[in-house]
Amino acid sequence: MAVRLISYSYRFAEQIFNSRLSLKAEMESVVYSACSDLSLLTRPDFNKILDEKFHECGWLRQAPVFPDDVEAYAKLDFMKDRVGVEVQFGHASFIGSDLLKFQIASYSNLNKIDFGVYICTTKNFQKHLRNQYGLNWEGSLSFEKVRNYLPHIKSAIQVPVYLLGIDI
């Protein structure tokens, strides 16, 4: 089975991302290359592989959300050319704090990003890894959950978010 990427555009994020097609293509290439051997994709290992591949392409790791002089430890997983990225394979309880990082980095006089990209896996992908390779993806956040969640928080999260789902 081949890996494919699906997306959901919140607040016109896809139109904004399409104005930076080379960056979008680079990100998709990183994700596809990280999925070259599905048998290795435990949640922690998948994060490590993506971290290495994004870093190899010049993405800043653990970009601080707040200025250096503020004692707050919120960080975006990756950032490049005013695009913030969060990768989430953990529990659904992280949705709010992840999306809030995009909002803060975009507004609040910080003006660090133009939009955020939220990368997660689909329920189908998780089921395939569980059934085919015996990998534990129980309790993981899914693309479907984030897609359903975003419209309900439109007054709080005003920054565009491009939701990228890893599917099979």
Side-chain angles (χ1 to χ4, degrees):
M1 294 186 125
V3 170
R4 68 185 184 109
L5 300 178
I6 59 174
S7 64
Y8 173 77
S9 180
Y10 175 77
R11 295 196 180 267
F12 304 102
E14 185 165 21
Q15 288 83 343
I16 298 167
F17 210 2
N18 285 341
S19 71
R20 304 170 190 190
L21 276 176
S22 63
L23 193 62
K24 184 178 181 185
E26 178 180 271
M27 179 177 294
E28 289 174 351
S29 175
V30 163
V31 173
Y32 279 123
S33 68
C35 296
S36 61
D37 185 351
L38 298 180
S39 69
L40 301 176
L41 300 184
T42 64
R43 290 186 283 183
D45 288 342
F46 201 178
N47 267 317
K48 288 177 191 171
I49 292 167
L50 283 169
D51 181 69
E52 291 170 12
K53 294 195 176 292
F54 271 109
H55 184 67
E56 287 170 5
C57 290
W59 289 76
L60 177 63
R61 290 173 165 150
Q62 299 299 303
V65 172
F66 296 100
D68 293 336
D69 60 340
V70 175
E71 282 198 42
Y73 303 102
K75 296 181 185 333
L76 294 169
D77 289 336
F78 308 101
M79 189 166 63
K80 184 176 184 178
D81 298 338
R82 299 184 53 81
V83 177
V85 176
E86 281 292 309
V87 175
Q88 188 55 260
F89 303 138
H91 193 267
S93 63
F94 292 107
I95 295 173
S97 59
D98 286 344
L99 296 173
L100 188 57
K101 287 188 248 180
F102 291 148
Q103 182 67 27
I104 293 168
S106 176
Y107 290 95
S108 305
N109 296 323
L110 295 179
N111 196 25
K112 291 184 174 190
I113 65 169
D114 295 326
F115 66 97
V117 178
Y118 202 70
I119 300 173
C120 53
T121 56
T122 64
K123 289 179 184 179
N124 193 42
F125 186 83
Q126 294 169 13
K127 182 179 177 182
H128 179 77
L129 292 182
R130 198 170 37 251
N131 293 342
Q132 188 71 29
Y133 304 106
L135 301 174
N136 181 11
W137 281 77
E138 287 294 323
S140 295
L141 177 69
S142 69
F143 171 88
E144 296 84 359
K145 184 167 268 197
V146 180
R147 183 190 61 216
N148 293 336
Y149 186 81
L150 275 168
H152 297 289
I153 58 170
K154 63 184 173 189
S155 63
I157 305 299
Q158 298 173 357
V159 63
V161 176
Y162 185 75
L163 177 59
L164 188 63
I166 304 167
D167 194 22
I168 198 154

